[in-house]
Amino acid sequence: AQSVAQPEDQVNVAEGNPLTVKCTYSVSGNPYLFWYVQYPNRGLQFLLKYITGDNLVKGSYGFEAEFNKSQTSFHLKKPSALVSDSALYFCAVRDWMDSSYKLIFGSGTRLLVRP
Amino acid sequence: EPEVTQTPSHQVTQMGQEVILRCVPISNHLYFYWYRQILGQKVEFLVSFYNNEISEKSEIFDDQFSVERPDGSNFTLKIRSTKLEDSAMYFCASIWAQGLNTEAFFGQGTRLTVV
């Protein structure tokens, strides 16, 4: 069965510094990986996805993520954090064998960017 | 930009009562989902729906839950007899095609409070 782990409940970073939010996954075949962001009292907003191709994918708001097959990781990164990036971030995986195309989410990481 | 809409945004109900959560997916989407998020925690898959039938459901989705697409636009989640532990944020999502590479679009959620 597929699963996603986000080992950090919270990540704290100063504005202007680079940020990394970690994600590792487990699937039976090729992974399809996604990052979503949730602002307070809001829904889940798509940030970026990895399907195939370049291991470094770029998404919304200056975020990018690096797919590493050997480490089964898909860490979210941003070169320079903004206070407005403070939110809850979810990594998700879709298994290529899953005909329902559902997403399996990690437990979420709260990002706090301090001024 | 098209979006998934959910109503109501907040529902308070007494334990044992029936509730219906409503969603209007994006119009040309084919797959529909309900997910649940207990306050600030992991987003959990409940059910997927395709071609007017359930394609997959999780162990959370027991006989108290049902889904329906009554009129080709709305997609509803019914909880027959609510329990305190059903209190959560419920998200509807849809994807537009058969495709592992398509991201899911989420609604803003319905916060269900069972008292």
Side-chain angles (χ1 to χ4, degrees), chain B:
Chain B
E1 185 176 320
E3 58 181 14
V4 177
T5 57
Q6 290 185 242
T7 55
S9 56
H10 192 185
Q11 171 113 27
V12 181
T13 188
Q14 288 200 323
M15 192 169 54
Q17 296 296 303
E18 174 184 287
V19 295
I20 298 176
L21 310 183
R22 301 181 193 280
C23 168
V24 180
I26 296 172
S27 63
N28 61 346
H29 283 198
L30 300 177
Y31 286 76
F32 313 110
Y33 306 85
W34 284 100
Y35 290 83
R36 179 180 83 174
Q37 182 186 32
I38 294 174
L39 187 62
Q41 295 182 27
K42 188 175 185 173
V43 177
E44 301 173 294
F45 166 75
L46 290 179
V47 65
S48 59
F49 192 86
Y50 170 71
N51 201 24
N52 286 320
E53 60 183 22
I54 291 173
S55 55
E56 186 174 348
K57 58 185 180 180
S58 72
E59 61 275 8
I60 302 169
F61 194 90
D62 61 21
D63 292 344
Q64 294 299 312
F65 291 87
S66 62
V67 290
E68 199 176 37
R69 194 149 192 257
D71 57 11
S73 62
N74 291 286
F75 179 51
T76 62
L77 174 69
K78 183 193 290 186
I79 309 176
R80 247 179 290 281
S81 177
T82 49
K83 302 188 276 285
L84 294 176
E85 54 264 38
D86 293 328
S87 295
M89 182 75 94
Y90 288 82
F91 291 108
C92 174
S94 64
I95 62 175
W96 75 276
Q98 294 180 11
L100 291 162
N101 61 344
T102 51
E103 64 268 25
F105 291 80
F106 284 79
Q108 299 290 78
T110 294
R111 181 173 299 283
L112 176 65
T113 303
V114 183
V115 297

Side-chain angles (χ1 to χ4, degrees), chain A residues 28-114:
Chain A
S28 54
N30 293 325
Y32 295 82
L33 296 156
F34 303 81
W35 276 100
Y36 283 82
V37 60
Q38 184 181 30
Y39 296 100
N41 299 312
R42 302 289 297 277
L44 296 164
Q45 190 172 336
F46 170 74
L47 274 182
L48 51 77
K49 63 185 177 185
Y50 171 81
I51 304 300
T52 150
D54 287 342
N55 289 340
L56 186 65
V57 294
K58 295 186 183 298
S60 308
Y61 313 119
F63 283 94
E64 56 190 31
E66 186 168 14
F67 171 66
N68 187 315
K69 188 172 183 178
S70 62
Q71 297 186 2
T72 61
S73 67
F74 188 55
H75 301 331
L76 181 70
K77 301 182 180 188
K78 188 173 182 180
S80 178
L82 299 172
V83 172
S84 57
D85 292 329
S86 298
L88 191 54
Y89 290 80
F90 289 97
C91 182
V93 68
R94 179 182 286 152
D95 192 321
W96 73 288
M97 292 183 68
D98 184 349
S99 59
S100 75
Y101 306 113
K102 69 179 182 291
L103 293 171
I104 299 299
F105 286 87
S107 54
T109 298
R110 189 166 302 280
L111 174 66
L112 182 60
V113 182
R114 59 185 185 278

